[in-house]
Amino acid sequence: MTNKVLVIDYGMGNLRSVANALRAVGAEPLISDHPASLKEVGRVILPGVGAFGDGMRNLTDRGWREALEASVRRGGMPYLGLCLGMQLVAARGTEHGDHEGLGWIPGTVERLPEDNAFRVPHIGWNAVQFRADSRLFRELGESPTFYFVHSYALVPQDPNVVAGRCEHGPPFVAAIEHENIFGTQFHPEKSQKTGLAVLKSFVTLAS
Amino acid sequence: MLKKRLIPVLLLKNGMLVRSESFDIHQIIGNPIHEVARFNEWNVDELIYLDMTRDDKYDLGRDDHRVRGMSDPLDILERVSETCFMPLTWGGRVRTVDDMRARFSRGADKITLNTAAYRTPELITAGAKVFGSQAIVVSIDTKRFDGAMEVMVDGGRTRTGVSSVELAKQAEDRGAGELLLQSIDRDGTGEGYDLELIHAVASAVKIPVIACSGVGRYEHYVDGIRAGASAVAAANIWHFKELSDRGGKRALAKGGVDVRL
């Protein structure tokens, strides 16, 4: 299988750091804004920083929605969503109004509860507890730390898709895993060696 | 629970890494790109680069550390970001939203505003609107006059008459995501942070405060956190001590601070 990993350029944030991190783990990143590029790669990463509604509109307008349905949902191509890219797999987002998501995982994306001790956005390094039988995250050791920058989190209906949890006040979903669909609320490309280990695991995963 | 952060600050001048004393004496100590490899190896939490290059100052320094062919500091940023797998903050000569965009597109995750935060505070709001508050750090340089904490600008050369706490509150109101506190009196002394300054600012704002200037021993980091900082930073100690990340983290953990080990 090709070692190429598509990094989707849909106008939501800096893709350079994701591409650099992929190179560091021996993969060949392809940053592209053309859905036809899915035919050239073996895996796909949807990064992204920004609002749910904007992200979904950009994906739809640029033809990614149909293309991802074909390659990821029907074709089984491994998909990794980072931050907003993880949230967009939800059925529905609630950031600045109600928005339809990709709908691959039943559930919603909701704002983290805020109080004086736990401020939102949640920014910084925090520990994640992963499920022991996770395919992507099981070899990271005990409660590894990752870098987070977000105000919203995915709330899936089915607890079986949850691969990792983090706490900022109450617990929230930090990682998901369902068939060929993976997601991290944290930024592996900014999480030093443990982050690179997650990307390495994704690019070497048997599909 | 979020970890408290330990951050190396790298000072750049004319394309070279320098150490600083009282914001005035700058001694060349290395190559800014080679240094990143070391910080990656140490698995540090975050990096801050501050470019202090001025047009009207001239250093009679060695030039064997200069990055060849890189007169533009943004080329250095781009090279640094290629191997920097942690949050990267870039400061120095940011005057407009376009200046910010140029730095983000070359690989910075956050930028710092210093003199511009005082002269054109609306830039804080403009930047936060486009790039998000988390990407805008306001850096405040303080000097004591009869004990009073006053903001200094233009690389520490110009008095403003504004209190540091006042500027900190304004920066937060205008949308800054974080504050970096430097003390001109403590810079390069190794006597420890200006704890009164850190405490005064941290208790006046809700956004995270990064303490800087004056660290001479690892235990000083613990004092900074106890004074209210969310992150502790230093420059010189990272260059003159071996294993400075391990040493700093161990001191913090020993002091009961929850850090990423």
Side-chain angles (χ1 to χ4, degrees):
Chain A
M1 197 173 86
T2 171
N3 198 22
K4 267 193 190 167
V5 181
L6 177 64
V7 179
I8 297 181
D9 177 4
Y10 63 125
M12 302 301 285
N14 191 356
L15 314 174
R16 181 203 295 273
S17 54
V18 177
N20 286 338
L22 285 169
R23 263 181 226 111
V25 298
E28 194 188 331
L30 170 67
I31 296 179
S32 171
D33 55 1
H34 294 296
S37 306
L38 280 163
K39 294 192 169 57
E40 300 170 40
V41 299
R43 295 158 215 282
V44 56
I45 290 183
L46 185 66
V49 176
F52 192 98
D54 296 339
M56 205 54 219
R57 192 180 54 242
N58 288 359
L59 278 185
T60 309
D61 289 354
R62 299 173 190 204
W64 285 106
R65 195 169 179 176
E66 292 301 310
L68 286 169
E69 282 291 327
S71 299
V72 177
R73 291 279 276 170
R74 295 195 294 277
M77 181 186 286
Y79 168 98
L80 176 62
L82 308 179
C83 198
L84 178 62
M86 158 169 159
Q87 298 176 359
L88 288 170
V89 302
R92 208 165 57 82
T94 62
E95 186 173 0
H96 308 307
D98 213 29
H99 304 279
E100 190 190 344
L102 288 168
W104 300 347
I105 303 281
T108 55
V109 173
E110 289 171 23
R111 194 173 167 85
L112 296 170
E114 179 164 24
D115 67 30
N116 267 339
F118 299 100
R119 317 241 330 145
V120 175
H122 171 228
I123 303 178
W125 293 89
N126 208 334
V128 177
Q129 312 293 333
F130 291 106
R131 226 168 61 192
D133 62 349
S134 149
R135 281 171 292 151
L136 204 57
F137 308 103
R138 69 182 162 206
E139 280 168 12
L140 298 171
E142 205 184 320
S143 65
T145 56
F146 294 92
Y147 190 73
F148 290 85
V149 182
H150 65 121
S151 299
Y152 288 76
L154 176 63
V155 183
Q157 275 173 23
D158 178 3
N160 290 321
V161 305
V162 177
R165 286 185 196 276
C166 178
E167 282 181 20
H168 183 60
F172 67 88
V173 175
I176 54 160
E177 191 172 308
H178 174 64
E179 296 168 353
N180 57 323
I181 297 163
F182 302 88
T184 65
Q185 183 57 64
F186 52 82
H187 289 269
E189 77 281 13
K190 288 286 162 192
S191 297
Q192 289 283 33
K193 291 174 185 172
T194 29
L196 293 180
V198 168
L199 292 174
K200 176 91 185 168
S201 177
F202 177 69
V203 301
T204 53
L205 189 77
S207 60
Chain B
M1 193 68 173
L2 282 171
K3 309 285 179 188
K4 302 292 184 198
R5 295 163 286 156
L6 175 59
I7 308 175
V9 176
L10 299 165
L11 304 172
L12 276 179
K13 198 167 178 181
N14 305 322
M16 287 169 281
L17 214 54
V18 296
R19 89 176 274 278
S20 164
E21 208 175 300
S22 310
F23 272 48
D24 195 35
I25 305 160
H26 296 134
Q27 170 197 359
I28 295 161
I29 53 170
N31 172 308
I33 292 165
H34 294 169
E35 235 21 38
V36 183
R38 200 156 63 103
F39 291 122
N40 272 329
E41 198 45 50
W42 289 351
N43 218 2
V44 304
D45 294 337
E46 196 166 327
L47 276 184
I48 298 177
Y49 272 80
L50 299 177
D51 179 16
M52 310 180 299
T53 309
R54 288 180 207 148
D55 302 328
D56 58 340
K57 275 229 168 182
Y58 178 67
D59 267 331
L60 276 177
R62 9 197 292 224
D63 71 351
D64 52 328
H65 286 306
R66 195 189 295 275
V67 182
R68 294 202 188 282
M70 284 200 182
S71 51
D72 182 356
L74 295 194
D75 287 340
I76 298 175
L77 164 59
E78 188 166 334
R79 283 282 300 279
V80 164
S81 77
E82 278 168 16
T83 52
C84 177
F85 304 117
M86 64 191 118
L88 173 61
T89 301
W90 194 270
R93 294 192 286 179
V94 180
R95 300 279 181 268
T96 64
V97 168
D98 281 340
D99 289 344
M100 296 181 191
R101 188 172 286 114
R103 282 151 184 82
F104 292 127
S105 75
R106 303 294 280 273
D109 297 294
K110 316 181 200 179
I111 56 91
T112 73
L113 294 174
N114 177 245
T115 302
Y118 165 73
R119 294 233 166 88
T120 50
E122 59 277 7
L123 187 61
I124 302 171
T125 317
K129 217 172 218 168
V130 181
F131 308 106
S133 281
Q134 85 290 336
I136 312 294
V137 181
V138 167
S139 162
I140 300 175
D141 299 338
T142 298
K143 194 170 166 65
R144 299 284 201 131
F145 292 95
D146 295 327
M149 301 176 257
E150 182 173 329
V151 177
M152 303 290 289
V153 293
D154 299 325
R157 288 169 300 168
T158 311
R159 288 184 69 165
T160 63
V162 173
S163 97
S164 305
V165 170
E166 196 43 50
L167 187 69
K169 286 202 273 197
Q170 285 174 18
E172 177 180 46
D173 288 346
R174 288 182 179 273
E178 234 168 6
L179 300 172
L180 172 65
L181 297 186
Q182 299 215 65
S183 159
I184 296 169
D185 309 298
R186 297 300 175 103
D187 183 41
T189 65
E191 291 169 3
Y193 293 120
D194 183 340
L195 297 174
E196 210 178 63
L197 167 71
I198 295 163
H199 181 72
V201 171
S203 37
V205 298
K206 286 181 162 179
I207 52 178
V209 166
I210 306 167
C212 196
S213 306
V215 172
R217 291 183 287 115
Y218 297 136
E219 290 72 23
H220 289 152
Y221 291 135
V222 182
D223 301 336
I225 296 291
R226 287 190 182 145
S230 298
V232 278
N236 300 338
I237 197 171
W238 291 89
H239 304 297
F240 298 113
K241 283 199 191 237
E242 288 299 313
L243 302 172
S244 32
D245 187 64
R246 280 298 96 185
K249 287 284 179 70
R250 279 203 197 106
L252 282 162
K254 204 174 153 201
V257 179
D258 185 17
V259 286
R260 177 180 156 264
L261 287 168

